[in-house]
Amino acid sequence: YNPRGVFATALSTLRIAVPEPLRCVVVQRAAGAADIFAWRSPTETVWICDSPPRFDDTKSALKEADDGYLVDQTSGRRLVQLRGPRREKLLAHLGSGFAEIAVGASKIGRMADIAVLVCKPSEEETLLVVDRLYLEHLLRSLRIGAAAPQLQ
């Protein structure tokens, strides 16, 4: 990835932020919508977007850039939003090491024996990005953890 290349320039024009390593960036959009960009690796940033038209427009705008790629993982990854006062206790209970993640941080690790990308865009919310094949397993582990007596 060339931070001064054609792809990076197109991203900048579209107001898409590439986060620093181990960080996530929230870009507020119209009508309360937001895009979240989470660092996953030196060559991969995960873009969480809830606007199909915006996604399609961005995909079209980036197709001419040959020094970077937009890979559509819409059907391959799933997003789990954790909110509420017991969120951090639940993450600590699962032994993930994600309970102390700072606002604006992004981290990859293991939770319920699967790889999970975790980002914390705000104090009130923690996001988990997981391969769709493992979503049910992760959700089951979260439910079991949330029902633990020490979290009640």
Side-chain angles (χ1 to χ4, degrees), residues 37-84:
F37 302 92
W39 182 92
R40 187 173 190 283
S41 73
T43 60
E44 184 177 357
T45 296
V46 174
W47 174 28
I48 301 166
C49 174
D50 63 357
S51 169
R54 179 161 164 66
F55 182 84
D56 291 341
D57 291 346
T58 301
K59 191 173 175 181
S60 293
L62 295 174
K63 70 181 172 185
E64 298 298 321
D66 61 359
D67 61 341
Y69 303 97
L70 176 80
V71 179
D72 186 351
Q73 290 286 314
T74 303
S75 61
R77 296 205 180 134
R78 294 294 180 254
L79 177 70
V80 177
Q81 296 173 296
L82 299 178
R83 294 186 178 125

Side-chain angles (χ1 to χ4, degrees), residues 86 89-90 93 142-152:
R86 298 186 318 163
K89 285 184 180 182
L90 173 61
H93 176 73
L142 289 169
R143 284 186 204 106
I144 290 169
Q150 57 270 43
L151 293 180
Q152 301 305 314

Side-chain angles (χ1 to χ4, degrees), residues 105-126:
S106 177
K107 179 179 176 182
I108 293 179
R110 297 195 70 75
M111 184 182 298
D113 284 332
I114 57 173
V116 178
L117 170 66
V118 177
C119 66
K120 189 170 182 180
S122 69
E123 193 62 50
E124 299 79 31
E125 180 177 50
T126 302

